[in-house]
Amino acid sequence: MNIQTKNTKPTNYTPGMRIVVRDAEWVVRKSDPTVDGGYLIECEGISELVRGKEGRFLTSIENNKEFSNSSIEILDPATTKLVEDKSPNYKDSMLYIEAMLRQKVPTDEHIYFGHKAAMDTLPFQLDPTITALKQPRQRILIADAVGLGKTLEAGILMSELIRRGKGKRILVLAVKSMLTQFQKEMWSRFSIPLTRLDSAGLQRVRNRIPTNHNPFHFYDKSIISIDTLKQDVEYRHYLEQAYWDIIVIDEAHNVARRGSNSQRSRLASLLSQRSDTLIMLSATPHDGKPESFASLMNMLDATAISNEKEYEHDDFSDKGLVVRRFKKDVKDQIAKDFPERDIQTVKSQASAVEEDVYRELTALKLSTLDKGKKASQLLRVTLEKTLFSSPMACLSTVNNRIKRLEAKNDADFEDDLNSLKSFAFALERVTPENFSKYQRLLKLISDKKEGFGWKPNKKDDRLVIFTESIPTLNFLYDNLQKDLGLKEEQIGFLKGQEMSDTELMQTVEEFGKEQSKLRLLVCSDVASEGINLHYLSHKMIHFDIPWSLMVFQQRNGRIDRYGQTKQPLIRYLVTTSLNDDVRGDSRTSEVLIEKDEQAQKNIGDPSEFTGKYDQESEEEAVAEVIAASFTSGEDILADIFGDFDEPEEKSQGPMDAFLPAEMHVSDSTIETRELASLFESDISFAEQSLDYIKRKGQRLEFHKTNSSTLSLTVNKELEQRLKQLPPEVYPEGDQFVLTNDIEQMAIEIAESRGQQHAWPRKNYLWQLHPVMEWLNDKVLSAFGRHHAPLVRVPHKMVSNKTAFILNAIYPNRKSHPLINDWVVVNFTNDQFDSFDSFEQFADQLNLKKDKLSNPAKTDNTAMQQALLKTAIAKASEYFQTMRKEKESKIDHKLQKQIDALEALRDKRVKQLAFSFEQTGGIQQIVEDKKQKEQKRIEQLFDDYIQWIEDTMTTEITPYIQLIAVFTGSEE
């Protein structure tokens, strides 16, 4: 397949291209095809009247004489006017060339940028980006184990794509407890400003924009809870009218299709079609059902699966849709950031009153309910499970059942009611004083010899207690405050449905602030997904033991995660009883604890043990074993887990088809590359850019504090530029403190948790920061519309030498740069001499280190101006040769993609035919359904093939721009 399209001049508008619209010069930032065959162009103003402003133009209107006096003019490089640079040491030229370099878009599969974020990047964290960049479009599930840094890995990929011009519009979906945390990580480490659309944020949006405006058009980058979208019909409608460059779905297992097609799943499916890039994050993405996991894969790639119930490894292992690693896979890299956890099981002997309760439970006779044996067993298991949590949880369950039976007003249930009331009476006799596990908890917390010796006066020693029962949580919250002598502000709780999104986020944030008085947090499992509790806490107590290894994984991951600096101390509380029946069943808890630890050390995925892939299935397996062996617990280990010590006993999981045959974990940064630059650092470029703005007469207050930090007061122009920043990130007192020192940012991020606002005062200064983007755009206007600097360097070049630096962009059909390269065209005595890469030329003149002397003696550019047309012709020849070399690689990759899709299409059509052969019913109706589904499949593949062709097909004529001219001539 030949990827050439046409040999006319570009009708495409690509990022970096300079155009004139309505007598003003603009630089193209983004261009999207429109249904009428034209483009919607988003631009940044360069010339005086529009400088710093954003413009959006429809080519179908601007190029139509009925609506516009002049068409859009793509500036011809051959008519670029050369300007003698009179600035000291050619500072303006160096800044201008650097600003152009910072617009050069990487187009290969290496990482140039994301790894330089404000974090101590580990090699394994680059793997998702490496994998995604090898694909025609970046759609990936990052399924690393809890605590390995999936959010950071997503940030690395997003940063890389933003730098490549593929991330102007971003939407993040997160669980409501994670909105602030995710927002803060993206800003603090990656300078990605997400506007938080929580319940309070949505109200702010409604107040700021007209009622009929789409908020997802108003904010380019936003973060919202999918449950908020699910509940708000108005915002679901807005989604259908918006499109993003990147969509991120955190805790993506929540949007998988399970049984009925839930609102969450339908929303996620809709959104999956509204962006080129889709990034999903989940440590537990599968529930054991092939169809459920297939629903996630189909969101990533609608052509991926021909049969959602059965799919094979050979079909998908090379698609790069899933990256999955466990702590054991990366232990060598994370040793200092992931101290080995210390786990102990703490037992308490049941009190006499509790033994009475156990006897009552095992002797409980429910004559009417027992007739329905399954219902009776389910109730007994439920009662036992809640009793293992607390007598208070069990009493709540019993009282609820009593109310339901009383409401029936049926004499047949009289005996059952009396039995349950008798059991309730026994439960009511258990007070905090004779509740053995609670008393052991108090000793574990406070006693130095038998526990933590914990005191609430240490701000960096905070305690997390987990329970899955709300009645147990309420009991602990009420009694711990009194028995530990805590003030009201020293103890808090996290529970799901009773707390709003803002309340959840505020509590999590307070727990991570040094100056907050909150010391102890009692959590239900709403806190087990995603949130960071490890900043000031390394101690966790499981007051009850979950019946799911996946919940173990999630709970422990709150403090045992990347960035933890202290050894996690994790304690499990288990009550032992003299009652043989109860003692056997309580063995379940100990088995689960053992298996969780074994999974962490040797396997990674706890579902390997049970063959179950979701919390509910694991809990059901445990419940069934307990129900079947209510009087004996000796064989629980085998009953629940089977013999999984032999590799051949392990069944294949639903993810295995999408994973490579061998686990690959990067142990070096070999896939990273450096972008060319004339400056030693971002801080150096920023400082000189600010000096330039000041030299040009604009009022600006800034001060360099040290070699890596400067402060900048926001002026009117910058304020206008930043008006859509989230309020949380806007600098206090209109003053930015900017640093490019990663270690300094790490300290700032940590210290900010001890401040009231909990957002870093300092900002990370790198190319993605809005201030740096503003500076870059200011410098780009240094020489005026369609002008380029002439730099005379007689001390570096001989007098008869002239070098033209030119840039070429070959866009694809979607106006994204597919090839972007620079070349230096050298002339000797007005005759073409040779080509150099820009890097070679910059090294020869030592532009990065040497100051250039500027004699500023002449304004005669005629000789170089006369050579410009020839230089561009030569550059065109060079770029066409280079394009042909790259074209063969792109062409091969394109054909491989299309061949794979065609094979998968054939397979899916055959599968469809087979499925309908097995279908009974009226032949004509069956045939109609088959034809309809086949048409849908054909359209699906046609659309995807068209997308790939549009993405991987270049225009034959590049957009060329003159960057600068260097000469050895002094006149």
Side-chain angles (χ1 to χ4, degrees), residues 118-136:
M119 56 182 285
D120 183 16
T121 308
L122 300 176
F124 83 88
Q125 293 173 327
L126 302 180
D127 286 342
T129 301
I130 293 169
T131 300
L133 291 179
K134 294 181 187 300
Q135 309 309 322

PDB file of all heavy atoms in Angstrom, residues 118-136:
ATOM      1  N   ALA A 118       8.096  15.546  37.754  1.00  0.00           N
ATOM      2  CA  ALA A 118       8.570  15.773  39.124  1.00  0.00           C
ATOM      3  C   ALA A 118       8.375  14.517  39.964  1.00  0.00           C
ATOM      4  O   ALA A 118       7.541  14.457  40.874  1.00  0.00           O
ATOM      5  CB  ALA A 118       7.826  16.949  39.749  1.00  0.00           C
ATOM      6  N   MET A 119       9.157  13.504  39.648  1.00  0.00           N
ATOM      7  CA  MET A 119       9.095  12.241  40.377  1.00  0.00           C
ATOM      8  C   MET A 119      10.389  11.483  40.144  1.00  0.00           C
ATOM      9  O   MET A 119      11.118  11.737  39.187  1.00  0.00           O
ATOM     10  CB  MET A 119       7.901  11.395  39.889  1.00  0.00           C
ATOM     11  CG  MET A 119       7.920  11.137  38.394  1.00  0.00           C
ATOM     12  SD  MET A 119       6.509  10.195  37.781  1.00  0.00           S
ATOM     13  CE  MET A 119       6.917   8.557  38.358  1.00  0.00           C
ATOM     14  N   ASP A 120      10.671  10.575  41.038  1.00  0.00           N
ATOM     15  CA  ASP A 120      11.846   9.723  40.893  1.00  0.00           C
ATOM     16  C   ASP A 120      11.440   8.532  40.043  1.00  0.00           C
ATOM     17  O   ASP A 120      11.124   7.458  40.549  1.00  0.00           O
ATOM     18  CB  ASP A 120      12.333   9.276  42.275  1.00  0.00           C
ATOM     19  CG  ASP A 120      13.607   8.447  42.196  1.00  0.00           C
ATOM     20  OD1 ASP A 120      14.257   8.481  41.138  1.00  0.00           O
ATOM     21  OD2 ASP A 120      13.936   7.748  43.172  1.00  0.00           O
ATOM     22  N   THR A 121      11.430   8.740  38.736  1.00  0.00           N
ATOM     23  CA  THR A 121      10.883   7.743  37.815  1.00  0.00           C
ATOM     24  C   THR A 121      11.710   6.465  37.843  1.00  0.00           C
ATOM     25  O   THR A 121      12.941   6.504  37.725  1.00  0.00           O
ATOM     26  CB  THR A 121      10.850   8.300  36.388  1.00  0.00           C
ATOM     27  OG1 THR A 121      10.182   9.552  36.385  1.00  0.00           O
ATOM     28  CG2 THR A 121      10.116   7.347  35.467  1.00  0.00           C
ATOM     29  N   LEU A 122      11.023   5.330  37.997  1.00  0.00           N
ATOM     30  CA  LEU A 122      11.677   4.024  37.946  1.00  0.00           C
ATOM     31  C   LEU A 122      11.452   3.422  36.564  1.00  0.00           C
ATOM     32  O   LEU A 122      10.406   3.645  35.943  1.00  0.00           O
ATOM     33  CB  LEU A 122      11.085   3.109  39.021  1.00  0.00           C
ATOM     34  CG  LEU A 122      11.248   3.616  40.465  1.00  0.00           C
ATOM     35  CD1 LEU A 122      10.542   2.694  41.450  1.00  0.00           C
ATOM     36  CD2 LEU A 122      12.720   3.745  40.832  1.00  0.00           C
ATOM     37  N   PRO A 123      12.416   2.647  36.063  1.00  0.00           N
ATOM     38  CA  PRO A 123      12.304   2.138  34.687  1.00  0.00           C
ATOM     39  C   PRO A 123      11.001   1.402  34.399  1.00  0.00           C
ATOM     40  O   PRO A 123      10.424   1.568  33.323  1.00  0.00           O
ATOM     41  CB  PRO A 123      13.522   1.200  34.569  1.00  0.00           C
ATOM     42  CG  PRO A 123      14.532   1.793  35.503  1.00  0.00           C
ATOM     43  CD  PRO A 123      13.732   2.330  36.662  1.00  0.00           C
ATOM     44  N   PHE A 124      10.509   0.592  35.342  1.00  0.00           N
ATOM     45  CA  PHE A 124       9.296  -0.175  35.068  1.00  0.00           C
ATOM     46  C   PHE A 124       8.088   0.724  34.857  1.00  0.00           C
ATOM     47  O   PHE A 124       7.120   0.334  34.187  1.00  0.00           O
ATOM     48  CB  PHE A 124       9.029  -1.191  36.191  1.00  0.00           C
ATOM     49  CG  PHE A 124       8.325  -0.641  37.403  1.00  0.00           C
ATOM     50  CD1 PHE A 124       6.936  -0.610  37.473  1.00  0.00           C
ATOM     51  CD2 PHE A 124       9.044  -0.160  38.490  1.00  0.00           C
ATOM     52  CE1 PHE A 124       6.283  -0.114  38.584  1.00  0.00           C
ATOM     53  CE2 PHE A 124       8.401   0.333  39.612  1.00  0.00           C
ATOM     54  CZ  PHE A 124       7.016   0.360  39.660  1.00  0.00           C
ATOM     55  N   GLN A 125       8.138   1.951  35.394  1.00  0.00           N
ATOM     56  CA  GLN A 125       7.013   2.869  35.239  1.00  0.00           C
ATOM     57  C   GLN A 125       6.933   3.461  33.829  1.00  0.00           C
ATOM     58  O   GLN A 125       5.932   4.084  33.474  1.00  0.00           O
ATOM     59  CB  GLN A 125       7.107   3.987  36.279  1.00  0.00           C
ATOM     60  CG  GLN A 125       6.899   3.481  37.702  1.00  0.00           C
ATOM     61  CD  GLN A 125       7.167   4.538  38.752  1.00  0.00           C
ATOM     62  OE1 GLN A 125       8.033   5.404  38.586  1.00  0.00           O
ATOM     63  NE2 GLN A 125       6.423   4.477  39.843  1.00  0.00           N
ATOM     64  N   LEU A 126       7.973   3.252  33.032  1.00  0.00           N
ATOM     65  CA  LEU A 126       7.967   3.723  31.646  1.00  0.00           C
ATOM     66  C   LEU A 126       7.334   2.714  30.693  1.00  0.00           C
ATOM     67  O   LEU A 126       6.974   3.055  29.568  1.00  0.00           O
ATOM     68  CB  LEU A 126       9.405   4.017  31.179  1.00  0.00           C
ATOM     69  CG  LEU A 126      10.203   5.042  31.996  1.00  0.00           C
ATOM     70  CD1 LEU A 126      11.598   5.197  31.397  1.00  0.00           C
ATOM     71  CD2 LEU A 126       9.496   6.383  32.043  1.00  0.00           C
ATOM     72  N   ASP A 127       7.169   1.467  31.139  1.00  0.00           N
ATOM     73  CA  ASP A 127       6.695   0.404  30.248  1.00  0.00           C
ATOM     74  C   ASP A 127       5.332   0.685  29.614  1.00  0.00           C
ATOM     75  O   ASP A 127       5.150   0.424  28.413  1.00  0.00           O
ATOM     76  CB  ASP A 127       6.662  -0.938  30.992  1.00  0.00           C
ATOM     77  CG  ASP A 127       8.063  -1.502  31.211  1.00  0.00           C
ATOM     78  OD1 ASP A 127       8.988  -1.053  30.515  1.00  0.00           O
ATOM     79  OD2 ASP A 127       8.232  -2.370  32.085  1.00  0.00           O
ATOM     80  N   PRO A 128       4.336   1.200  30.370  1.00  0.00           N
ATOM     81  CA  PRO A 128       3.062   1.483  29.705  1.00  0.00           C
ATOM     82  C   PRO A 128       3.199   2.482  28.556  1.00  0.00           C
ATOM     83  O   PRO A 128       2.557   2.321  27.513  1.00  0.00           O
ATOM     84  CB  PRO A 128       2.195   2.042  30.843  1.00  0.00           C
ATOM     85  CG  PRO A 128       2.753   1.434  32.085  1.00  0.00           C
ATOM     86  CD  PRO A 128       4.237   1.374  31.842  1.00  0.00           C
ATOM     87  N   THR A 129       4.044   3.500  28.741  1.00  0.00           N
ATOM     88  CA  THR A 129       4.248   4.493  27.679  1.00  0.00           C
ATOM     89  C   THR A 129       4.985   3.871  26.497  1.00  0.00           C
ATOM     90  O   THR A 129       4.624   4.100  25.337  1.00  0.00           O
ATOM     91  CB  THR A 129       5.021   5.703  28.218  1.00  0.00           C
ATOM     92  OG1 THR A 129       4.280   6.290  29.288  1.00  0.00           O
ATOM     93  CG2 THR A 129       5.241   6.742  27.143  1.00  0.00           C
ATOM     94  N   ILE A 130       6.014   3.072  26.785  1.00  0.00           N
ATOM     95  CA  ILE A 130       6.751   2.388  25.710  1.00  0.00           C
ATOM     96  C   ILE A 130       5.804   1.511  24.904  1.00  0.00           C
ATOM     97  O   ILE A 130       5.804   1.516  23.666  1.00  0.00           O
ATOM     98  CB  ILE A 130       7.901   1.537  26.304  1.00  0.00           C
ATOM     99  CG1 ILE A 130       8.973   2.447  26.934  1.00  0.00           C
ATOM    100  CG2 ILE A 130       8.521   0.636  25.246  1.00  0.00           C
ATOM    101  CD1 ILE A 130      10.004   1.703  27.765  1.00  0.00           C
ATOM    102  N   THR A 131       4.955   0.765  25.608  1.00  0.00           N
ATOM    103  CA  THR A 131       3.997  -0.125  24.939  1.00  0.00           C
ATOM    104  C   THR A 131       2.995   0.668  24.115  1.00  0.00           C
ATOM    105  O   THR A 131       2.716   0.333  22.954  1.00  0.00           O
ATOM    106  CB  THR A 131       3.255  -0.975  25.986  1.00  0.00           C
ATOM    107  OG1 THR A 131       4.198  -1.754  26.715  1.00  0.00           O
ATOM    108  CG2 THR A 131       2.239  -1.897  25.323  1.00  0.00           C
ATOM    109  N   ALA A 132       2.456   1.747  24.703  1.00  0.00           N
ATOM    110  CA  ALA A 132       1.420   2.532  24.027  1.00  0.00           C
ATOM    111  C   ALA A 132       1.963   3.212  22.771  1.00  0.00           C
ATOM    112  O   ALA A 132       1.263   3.295  21.750  1.00  0.00           O
ATOM    113  CB  ALA A 132       0.843   3.565  24.990  1.00  0.00           C
ATOM    114  N   LEU A 133       3.191   3.721  22.825  1.00  0.00           N
ATOM    115  CA  LEU A 133       3.745   4.439  21.680  1.00  0.00           C
ATOM    116  C   LEU A 133       4.011   3.530  20.487  1.00  0.00           C
ATOM    117  O   LEU A 133       4.168   4.008  19.361  1.00  0.00           O
ATOM    118  CB  LEU A 133       5.040   5.161  22.084  1.00  0.00           C
ATOM    119  CG  LEU A 133       4.878   6.340  23.052  1.00  0.00           C
ATOM    120  CD1 LEU A 133       6.236   6.936  23.395  1.00  0.00           C
ATOM    121  CD2 LEU A 133       3.964   7.417  22.461  1.00  0.00           C
ATOM    122  N   LYS A 134       4.071   2.230  20.716  1.00  0.00           N
ATOM    123  CA  LYS A 134       4.276   1.297  19.617  1.00  0.00           C
ATOM    124  C   LYS A 134       2.975   1.009  18.866  1.00  0.00           C
ATOM    125  O   LYS A 134       2.996   0.394  17.810  1.00  0.00           O
ATOM    126  CB  LYS A 134       4.858  -0.022  20.147  1.00  0.00           C
ATOM    127  CG  LYS A 134       6.267   0.094  20.716  1.00  0.00           C
ATOM    128  CD  LYS A 134       6.779  -1.246  21.199  1.00  0.00           C
ATOM    129  CE  LYS A 134       8.105  -1.129  21.920  1.00  0.00           C
ATOM    130  NZ  LYS A 134       9.179  -0.580  21.111  1.00  0.00           N
ATOM    131  N   GLN A 135       1.843   1.445  19.440  1.00  0.00           N
ATOM    132  CA  GLN A 135       0.546   1.166  18.828  1.00  0.00           C
ATOM    133  C   GLN A 135       0.127   2.319  17.900  1.00  0.00           C
ATOM    134  O   GLN A 135       0.565   3.451  18.073  1.00  0.00           O
ATOM    135  CB  GLN A 135      -0.514   0.977  19.920  1.00  0.00           C
ATOM    136  CG  GLN A 135      -0.116  -0.011  21.001  1.00  0.00           C
ATOM    137  CD  GLN A 135       0.369  -1.338  20.458  1.00  0.00           C
ATOM    138  OE1 GLN A 135      -0.156  -1.860  19.478  1.00  0.00           O
ATOM    139  NE2 GLN A 135       1.420  -1.875  21.076  1.00  0.00           N
ATOM    140  N   PRO A 136      -0.744   2.045  16.920  1.00  0.00           N
ATOM    141  CA  PRO A 136      -1.198   3.127  16.037  1.00  0.00           C
ATOM    142  C   PRO A 136      -1.952   4.208  16.801  1.00  0.00           C
ATOM    143  O   PRO A 136      -1.915   5.378  16.439  1.00  0.00           O
ATOM    144  CB  PRO A 136      -2.116   2.411  15.037  1.00  0.00           C
ATOM    145  CG  PRO A 136      -2.495   1.124  15.696  1.00  0.00           C
ATOM    146  CD  PRO A 136      -1.324   0.751  16.542  1.00  0.00           C
TER     147      PRO A 136
END
